[in-house]
Amino acid sequence: MAKARDGAEPAARWRELVEQIDDARRRYYGDDAATLSDAEYDVLFRELEALEAAHPELVSADSPTQSVGGEASGMFAPVEHLQRLLSLDNAFSADELAAWAARVERDLGAVPELLCELKVDGLAVDIVYERGRMRSLATRGDGRVGEDVTYNARFIPAIPKSLTASAEHPVPELVEVRGEVYFPTAAFDALNLEVTSQGLSPFANARNAGAGTLRQRIDSRENELAAMREKGSTTVARLEGELDLALKRLGGLQLVVHGIGVWHGHEPARQSEAYAALRGWGLPTSERVQVVPELAGVQAYVDFYGEHRHDVEHEIDGVVVKVDDLATQGRLGSTSRAPRWAIAYKYPPEVVRTRLLDIEVNVGRTGRVTPFAVMAPVKVAGSTVSMATLHNQEEVVRKGVLIGDMVFLRKAGDVIPEVLGPVVEDRTGTERAFVMPTHCPSCGTPLAPAKEGDVDIRCPNQRSCPSQLRERVFHVASRGALDIEGLGFKAAVALLDEGIVADEGDVLGLTADQLRASVFFTRADSAEGRVLTANAEKLLVELETAKSRPLWRVIVALSIRHVGPTAAQALAREIGDLDRIATSGVEELSAVEGVGPIIADAVVEWFAVDWHRDVVRKWREAGVRMAEERVDAGSRPLDGVTVVITGTVEGWSRDGAMLAVQEAGGKVSGSVSKKTDFVVVGENPGSKAEKAVALGRPVLDATGFAVLLEQGPDAAREAAVPPLA
Ligand code: IVH
């Protein structure tokens, strides 16, 4: 050991130190058998720091020194992929698959050999190995730039940190590989069991759990823990527990590689040969890859896994078919979105059977009473489902389901679960029909349709029905309304149950003293009795911010029937003042573009109720801004700018991204033309992305979009992604 320390080459010593430190960390977090004392660990760590200071060329992104002391920004650093990660075109039927094969055959004038493999429902990653060592591991991001999760990758044993060379498979100087990170179904189930046993909500599916796990901020948690340890804080044990769990989760992730990007060195001739090389270097490849001579073989493969979908240890959502010969792949080429030499055959949405245990009703924010199915929990398309809305009584009748029936349940991908209908032949005669309650399950008030002939029935006790109150208070804080992050559903329930607020009118004026009287918003402190929780402190700050949100958000927060963001924006834009909106008649209101007579009626009706006007008065007294801010050019940086948004922009919901553009004064358009100023391209973009390139319009990724919103169009033009060659 001493000899190595004094005499070894710097690079060799560096590797040795990194391995020892990594190993110590893994042991420390993975199980309790620590191999090094803290002091020994520190000595090694300092030696590594000194070595890197003397030899900066040795520092790589995955060095342990690169993660400690970093700022907890809540974000990962961007990494530009060496070669763009493309998407795949889909085929949803045997015919579509055959059409793809026919086109390939026509383009080539021959039938190429095809490689079939499973489409893993995981998270795409891009890994770069330089001289055999992992340089970076990044998420897919927008295909060009992903997030750097290298630090986390080191805690995933399934991902090799260095490649093994052999005579048969020498390791290239530089190689970029692509694959999916996923949770095996069993690990996912175990994780959800652990999560739910702690009283937390389970992950919806293995894919979400994988994404959540890979993107945990391990490094900042470590830093936080280190700082707490230094202070001798009592929260150390909790943080240690959290970190432990976070790392155990990471340890459960698996990898399968299915592609190559940049490859410096002797390149393989076939996709299947590339896999053999990848496997030779120690990378996990699928054992279910098959090369077939023609389409019939593909169809047999698709049929086989259609039947044996659940025999695979991870979730799959289809089969990927690739032309095996790499030169032929090159001849076929790619569109800006996807290669022509590959296609994803997607399995149809899954239908399962489960028992309909009961039909219960839910009372919504505006009093609407909605029946929903309570079912024996069942796994469908990767997640466990036990509830599904049935919309209204007519729908229950239309579907013909009885309580106690076996029912067919469907869920396609992320789509909401849906009860399709009963398995009639399984009936025993003990099933019973659902009867819509006559009284509100929450407050006991007799239910009635709002108007004669309405399908929906409502609880008319809007003012004090506990269900409606909870939903309305929660709604005030929701993202589409005043966006108060510290006020979630549980907090809303606590505020009402503890009598801190009587209704939504009291929410904006909440004070620290009021929250101090709450059990939910305080915790015990040995010195000071009960003190506000961090969440409560945060809530007070956020309430202040919420008071100066744009007028349309205030209008949405009022829970006026039929008034969503679009109508609220129209009202705010055209009338600009809540007092004027309150005193406008139906005629005046329905003259506003985007506001029809139904909405106008609802607004007039709403303001006619005295306690509604009290809500407005209380908000005003709390300091909520009730008029549109005078618009100056400075606050509307996107005045006259037209933006098209396609795909999912990382960090934004679709509506959120649109609203952000509109709030800044810009216009969102549905189609790309020469007049489009910017096309924002997110994940899984549609053909608009191609059109943007064809018309030479500036394309923005998620980062560029942030520049547009924060710095305006000039800066965004600079940040635009150069058009594809
Ligand atoms: S090949 C250029 N093979 O599916 C071809 N992708 O829907 C790139 N995926 O982003 C992809 N399993 O992350 C390929 N065996 C497989 C795959 C696979 C899952 C993912 C991949 C891609 C997405 C496209």
Side-chain angles (χ1 to χ4, degrees):
M1 180 84 180
K3 188 166 170 279
R5 178 176 298 189
D6 303 332
E9 290 273 324
R13 178 63 188 152
W14 182 86
R15 260 196 303 280
E16 208 172 300
L17 285 168
V18 168
E19 265 157 36
Q20 280 177 327
I21 292 172
D22 275 355
D23 189 49
R25 283 190 175 184
R26 251 197 310 275
R27 282 171 190 275
Y28 179 75
Y29 293 120
D31 51 57
D32 292 325
T35 42
L36 293 175
S37 69
D38 285 0
E40 287 169 308
Y41 176 92
D42 286 344
V43 168
L44 290 181
F45 198 87
R46 259 178 254 135
E47 193 196 339
L48 181 65
E49 281 179 325
L51 189 65
E52 289 185 350
H55 301 278
E57 78 281 2
L58 293 177
V59 188
S60 77
D62 60 341
S63 165
T65 58
Q66 296 308 294
S67 50
V68 180
E71 252 181 27
S73 69
M75 296 258 294
F76 292 92
V79 191
E80 196 164 333
H81 305 310
L82 302 180
Q83 218 175 71
R84 205 157 87 91
L85 273 75
L86 293 176
S87 239
L88 285 171
D89 284 332
N90 294 320
F92 292 99
S93 64
D95 284 351
E96 286 181 22
L97 188 61
W100 169 79
R103 202 169 50 236
V104 166
E105 202 182 315
R106 197 189 54 224
D107 286 357
L108 297 173
V111 184
E113 283 196 324
L114 297 170
L115 175 143
C116 306
E117 61 192 40
L118 297 180
K119 187 162 189 311
V120 185
D121 197 9
L123 242 67
V125 292
D126 183 281
I127 319 177
V128 177
Y129 290 94
E130 196 169 0
R131 272 169 271 129
R133 273 194 69 84
M134 185 197 287
R135 183 171 92 180
S136 66
L137 185 144
T139 61
R140 178 182 191 278
D142 62 1
R144 289 174 190 280
V145 179
E147 286 177 317
D148 186 352
V149 286
T150 317
Y151 187 71
N152 291 0
R154 60 178 46 242
F155 299 104
I156 309 176
I159 301 180
K161 313 303 173 294
S162 50
L163 303 178
T164 318
S166 64
E168 199 185 344
H169 301 297
V171 170
E173 191 52 24
L174 185 79
V175 65
E176 182 180 34
V177 302
R178 277 79 188 268
E180 301 287 305
V181 165
Y182 64 92
F183 261 125
T185 314
F188 167 68
D189 289 343
L191 170 64
N192 258 356
L193 209 63
E194 183 158 2
V195 169
T196 44
S197 72
Q198 295 181 342
L200 302 169
S201 357
F203 288 106
N205 52 46
R207 203 186 128 78
N208 287 2
T213 301
L214 187 63
R215 300 178 71 253
Q216 300 175 100
R217 281 307 302 257
I218 299 293
D219 52 353
S220 54
R221 283 198 191 171
E222 285 177 347
N223 291 340
E224 197 183 341
L225 185 56
M228 290 293 170
R229 282 210 181 102
E230 215 158 86
K231 278 203 268 172
S233 162
T234 49
T235 49
V236 166
R238 181 180 57 78
L239 281 175
E240 275 175 351
E242 278 178 19
L243 189 55
D244 230 51
L245 184 63
L247 293 170
K248 275 213 194 94
R249 272 186 204 169
L250 269 177
L253 286 172
Q254 296 295 323
L255 169 74
V256 59
V257 291
H258 55 56
I260 41 183
V262 165
W263 178 310
H264 289 174
H266 174 71
E267 284 185 34
R270 292 176 162 266
Q271 187 88 17
S272 46
E273 275 175 29
Y275 288 170
L278 297 174
R279 196 172 313 127
W281 303 334
L283 284 162
T285 53
S286 170
E287 280 170 9
R288 299 189 175 90
V289 174
Q290 249 180 49
V291 179
V292 297
E294 57 188 10
L295 187 64
V298 175
Q299 196 56 55
Y301 188 92
V302 162
D303 292 346
F304 180 83
Y305 283 103
E307 286 285 313
H308 295 88
R309 221 175 142 162
H310 296 293
D311 301 343
V312 179
E313 62 284 356
H314 53 73
E315 294 292 336
I316 62 172
D317 57 351
V319 165
V320 182
V321 187
K322 299 171 181 172
V323 168
D324 193 32
D325 186 78
L326 293 182
T328 312
Q329 287 186 2
R331 274 174 61 199
L332 288 164
S334 304
T335 67
S336 65
R337 198 189 88 86
R340 293 194 192 85
W341 48 263
I343 187 114
Y345 175 88
K346 289 286 197 70
Y347 287 121
E350 275 187 293
V351 176
V352 294
R353 292 167 177 222
T354 186
R355 183 74 62 193
L356 177 62
L357 302 173
D358 202 357
I359 297 179
E360 295 183 7
V361 296
N362 173 53
V363 185
R365 176 165 61 98
T366 56
R368 199 170 93 163
V369 178
T370 319
F372 64 96
V374 180
M375 294 162 291
V378 62
K379 194 137 196 185
V380 51
S383 59
T384 302
V385 171
S386 60
M387 282 191 281
T389 181
L390 291 165
H391 304 287
N392 54 50
Q393 189 167 14
E394 271 187 14
E395 186 76 359
V396 178
V397 173
R398 199 184 61 75
K399 288 188 190 293
V401 287
L402 301 177
I403 297 167
D405 265 341
M406 276 307 274
V407 292
F408 290 112
L409 177 76
R410 171 174 76 173
K411 188 164 160 284
D414 285 339
V415 181
I416 299 153
E418 184 193 356
V419 173
L420 294 173
V423 185
V424 180
E425 59 273 23
D426 278 9
R427 283 199 175 142
T428 60
T430 55
E431 298 78 12
R432 61 193 164 90
F434 165 69
V435 184
M436 196 71 168
T438 51
H439 291 75
C440 174
S442 179
C443 68
T445 307
L447 302 173
K451 282 199 314 291
E452 187 94 13
D454 269 4
V455 181
D456 292 333
I457 62 163
R458 295 177 180 272
C459 166
N461 176 21
Q462 299 198 319
R463 180 158 200 192
S464 47
C465 170
S467 266
Q468 296 186 54
L469 270 169
R470 280 199 288 270
E471 297 287 346
R472 284 206 308 273
V473 169
F474 175 57
H475 170 75
V476 168
S478 67
R479 275 209 174 166
L482 291 180
D483 196 8
I484 307 168
E485 215 189 293
L487 182 49
F489 194 71
K490 280 191 190 148
V493 171
L495 285 175
L496 287 160
D497 286 357
E498 296 193 66
I500 297 163
V501 302
D503 62 21
E504 64 268 43
D506 297 334
V507 170
L508 273 304
L510 276 173
T511 62
D513 276 345
Q514 282 176 298
L515 293 184
R516 268 188 218 108
S518 151
V519 177
F520 183 86
F521 288 101
T522 56
R523 58 178 172 79
D525 182 281
S526 49
E528 299 181 46
R530 291 198 76 79
V531 294
L532 288 182
T533 61
N535 260 346
E537 305 271 11
K538 192 167 131 206
L539 173 59
L540 289 168
V541 174
E542 285 174 1
L543 283 169
E544 280 316 304
T545 319
K547 290 176 191 171
S548 39
R549 294 245 192 267
L551 177 60
W552 70 264
R553 288 184 170 276
V554 178
I555 301 174
V556 172
L558 291 173
S559 286
I560 305 173
R561 260 179 87 191
H562 306 303
V563 180
T566 312
Q569 283 179 9
L571 290 166
R573 195 172 47 234
E574 298 258 329
I575 306 184
D577 183 319
L578 197 64
D579 278 340
R580 280 196 46 211
I581 295 172
T583 50
S584 297
V586 170
E587 205 170 309
E588 201 177 335
L589 291 169
S590 45
V592 171
E593 199 187 318
V595 176
I598 295 180
I599 295 177
D601 267 343
V603 173
V604 170
E605 262 176 40
W606 194 90
F607 280 104
V609 177
D610 54 357
W611 69 268
H612 286 166
R613 290 196 304 272
D614 275 347
V615 170
V616 175
R617 179 181 53 73
K618 286 188 200 166
W619 285 8
R620 175 176 294 114
E621 283 167 10
V624 177
R625 205 174 69 201
M626 297 283 180
E628 198 69 313
E629 189 127 278
R630 279 183 49 75
V631 282
D632 53 44
S635 70
R636 294 175 64 89
L638 300 188
D639 239 342
V641 174
T642 303
V643 179
V644 172
I645 301 168
T646 173
T648 320
V649 185
E650 177 110 38
W652 291 92
S653 68
R654 201 175 162 70
D655 287 351
M658 280 170 63
L659 290 176
V661 170
Q662 289 165 348
E663 266 183 23
K667 198 175 141 214
V668 178
S669 159
S671 57
V672 182
S673 74
K674 284 210 170 123
K675 290 196 187 129
T676 309
D677 293 292
F678 295 98
V679 181
V680 180
V681 177
E683 266 199 66
N684 299 321
S687 58
K688 288 171 203 163
E690 281 169 44
K691 188 146 182 217
V693 174
L695 291 178
R697 305 321 301 148
V699 169
L700 300 178
D701 55 15
T703 317
F705 184 51
V707 171
L708 177 68
L709 294 173
E710 282 156 23
Q711 300 169 39
D714 291 341
R717 251 166 238 124
E718 302 273 306
V721 179
L724 288 175

Short mmCIF file of all heavy atoms in Angstrom, two decimals, residues 86-88 117-120 124 140 180 258 320 322 339 341, ligand 1:
data_model
loop_
_atom_site.label_atom_id
_atom_site.label_comp_id
_atom_site.label_asym_id
_atom_site.label_seq_id
_atom_site.Cartn_x
_atom_site.Cartn_y
_atom_site.Cartn_z
N LEU A 86 -32.14 9.48 -31.37
CA LEU A 86 -33.37 9.60 -32.14
C LEU A 86 -34.51 8.86 -31.45
O LEU A 86 -34.30 8.11 -30.51
CB LEU A 86 -33.17 9.03 -33.54
CG LEU A 86 -32.20 9.81 -34.42
CD1 LEU A 86 -31.99 9.10 -35.74
CD2 LEU A 86 -32.68 11.24 -34.64
N SER A 87 -35.70 9.10 -31.95
CA SER A 87 -36.87 8.39 -31.46
C SER A 87 -37.13 7.20 -32.37
O SER A 87 -36.34 6.93 -33.26
CB SER A 87 -38.05 9.34 -31.54
OG SER A 87 -38.60 9.52 -30.31
N LEU A 88 -38.26 6.56 -32.20
CA LEU A 88 -38.62 5.46 -33.09
C LEU A 88 -40.01 5.71 -33.65
O LEU A 88 -40.88 6.22 -32.95
CB LEU A 88 -38.65 4.14 -32.32
CG LEU A 88 -37.31 3.50 -31.95
CD1 LEU A 88 -37.54 2.33 -31.02
CD2 LEU A 88 -36.59 3.04 -33.21
N GLU A 117 -35.84 -7.22 -31.01
CA GLU A 117 -35.56 -7.19 -29.58
C GLU A 117 -36.74 -6.57 -28.86
O GLU A 117 -37.62 -5.99 -29.50
CB GLU A 117 -34.26 -6.42 -29.30
CG GLU A 117 -34.31 -4.98 -29.74
CD GLU A 117 -32.92 -4.34 -29.73
OE1 GLU A 117 -31.95 -5.00 -30.12
OE2 GLU A 117 -32.85 -3.17 -29.33
N LEU A 118 -36.74 -6.67 -27.54
CA LEU A 118 -37.87 -6.16 -26.78
C LEU A 118 -37.75 -4.66 -26.61
O LEU A 118 -36.65 -4.11 -26.50
CB LEU A 118 -37.94 -6.84 -25.42
CG LEU A 118 -38.19 -8.34 -25.51
CD1 LEU A 118 -38.24 -8.95 -24.12
CD2 LEU A 118 -39.48 -8.63 -26.27
N LYS A 119 -38.88 -3.99 -26.58
CA LYS A 119 -38.89 -2.57 -26.27
C LYS A 119 -39.09 -2.46 -24.76
O LYS A 119 -40.16 -2.76 -24.24
CB LYS A 119 -40.01 -1.87 -27.04
CG LYS A 119 -39.95 -0.37 -26.90
CD LYS A 119 -40.76 0.30 -27.99
CE LYS A 119 -40.56 1.79 -28.03
NZ LYS A 119 -40.68 2.49 -26.78
N VAL A 120 -38.03 -2.08 -24.11
CA VAL A 120 -38.03 -2.03 -22.64
C VAL A 120 -38.70 -0.74 -22.21
O VAL A 120 -38.36 0.34 -22.69
CB VAL A 120 -36.57 -2.03 -22.12
CG1 VAL A 120 -36.56 -2.11 -20.60
CG2 VAL A 120 -35.78 -3.16 -22.74
N ALA A 124 -34.40 6.08 -21.25
CA ALA A 124 -33.26 6.05 -22.16
C ALA A 124 -32.08 6.78 -21.53
O ALA A 124 -32.24 7.85 -20.95
CB ALA A 124 -33.65 6.72 -23.46
N ARG A 140 -31.87 11.01 -21.55
CA ARG A 140 -32.07 11.34 -22.95
C ARG A 140 -32.27 12.84 -23.16
O ARG A 140 -31.78 13.41 -24.11
CB ARG A 140 -33.30 10.58 -23.46
CG ARG A 140 -33.63 10.87 -24.89
CD ARG A 140 -34.88 10.11 -25.26
NE ARG A 140 -35.08 10.16 -26.68
CZ ARG A 140 -35.64 11.16 -27.33
NH1 ARG A 140 -36.02 12.22 -26.65
NH2 ARG A 140 -35.81 11.12 -28.62
N GLU A 180 -31.50 1.34 -21.92
CA GLU A 180 -32.60 1.69 -21.02
C GLU A 180 -32.22 1.30 -19.61
O GLU A 180 -31.70 0.21 -19.38
CB GLU A 180 -33.88 0.92 -21.38
CG GLU A 180 -34.39 1.12 -22.76
CD GLU A 180 -35.01 2.47 -22.99
OE1 GLU A 180 -35.94 2.84 -22.23
OE2 GLU A 180 -34.58 3.16 -23.94
N HIS A 258 -28.86 -1.04 -26.03
CA HIS A 258 -29.48 -1.41 -27.30
C HIS A 258 -29.05 -0.51 -28.45
O HIS A 258 -29.71 -0.46 -29.47
CB HIS A 258 -31.00 -1.45 -27.17
CG HIS A 258 -31.60 -0.16 -26.66
ND1 HIS A 258 -31.39 1.05 -27.26
CD2 HIS A 258 -32.40 0.08 -25.59
CE1 HIS A 258 -32.05 1.98 -26.60
NE2 HIS A 258 -32.66 1.44 -25.58
N VAL A 320 -38.82 -3.92 -30.82
CA VAL A 320 -38.12 -3.02 -31.74
C VAL A 320 -37.48 -3.87 -32.83
O VAL A 320 -36.83 -4.87 -32.54
CB VAL A 320 -37.04 -2.19 -31.02
CG1 VAL A 320 -36.37 -1.24 -32.00
CG2 VAL A 320 -37.67 -1.40 -29.87
N LYS A 322 -34.92 -3.84 -36.10
CA LYS A 322 -33.86 -3.03 -36.70
C LYS A 322 -33.25 -3.78 -37.88
O LYS A 322 -33.11 -5.01 -37.81
CB LYS A 322 -32.75 -2.75 -35.67
CG LYS A 322 -33.23 -1.99 -34.45
CD LYS A 322 -32.17 -1.92 -33.36
CE LYS A 322 -32.77 -1.16 -32.18
NZ LYS A 322 -31.92 -1.17 -30.98
N PRO A 339 -35.04 6.91 -37.13
CA PRO A 339 -34.38 6.20 -38.24
C PRO A 339 -35.41 5.51 -39.13
O PRO A 339 -36.47 5.11 -38.65
CB PRO A 339 -33.51 5.16 -37.52
CG PRO A 339 -34.14 4.98 -36.19
CD PRO A 339 -34.82 6.26 -35.83
N TRP A 341 -34.50 2.82 -40.59
CA TRP A 341 -34.07 1.42 -40.52
C TRP A 341 -34.59 0.69 -39.28
O TRP A 341 -34.20 -0.44 -39.02
CB TRP A 341 -32.54 1.33 -40.59
CG TRP A 341 -31.81 2.28 -39.66
CD1 TRP A 341 -31.30 3.49 -39.99
CD2 TRP A 341 -31.54 2.10 -38.26
NE1 TRP A 341 -30.72 4.08 -38.88
CE2 TRP A 341 -30.85 3.24 -37.82
CE3 TRP A 341 -31.80 1.08 -37.34
CZ2 TRP A 341 -30.44 3.40 -36.50
CZ3 TRP A 341 -31.39 1.23 -36.03
CH2 TRP A 341 -30.71 2.39 -35.63
S1 IVH B 1 -33.43 1.72 -30.38
C1 IVH B 1 -32.47 5.05 -33.22
N1 IVH B 1 -34.14 -0.37 -28.91
O1 IVH B 1 -37.73 3.53 -27.01
C2 IVH B 1 -33.14 3.99 -32.43
N2 IVH B 1 -34.93 1.76 -28.30
O2 IVH B 1 -39.73 5.03 -28.46
C3 IVH B 1 -33.17 4.32 -31.02
N3 IVH B 1 -36.31 1.77 -26.30
O3 IVH B 1 -35.89 6.47 -27.07
C4 IVH B 1 -33.81 3.41 -30.12
N4 IVH B 1 -36.22 -0.38 -25.89
O4 IVH B 1 -35.22 4.78 -25.30
C5 IVH B 1 -34.23 0.96 -29.10
N5 IVH B 1 -34.65 -2.27 -27.69
C6 IVH B 1 -34.76 -0.97 -27.87
C7 IVH B 1 -35.49 -0.14 -27.00
C8 IVH B 1 -35.56 1.22 -27.26
C9 IVH B 1 -36.69 0.78 -25.48
C10 IVH B 1 -36.69 3.18 -26.14
C11 IVH B 1 -35.59 4.15 -26.47
C12 IVH B 1 -36.18 5.16 -27.42
C13 IVH B 1 -37.64 4.89 -27.30
C14 IVH B 1 -38.37 5.25 -28.58
#
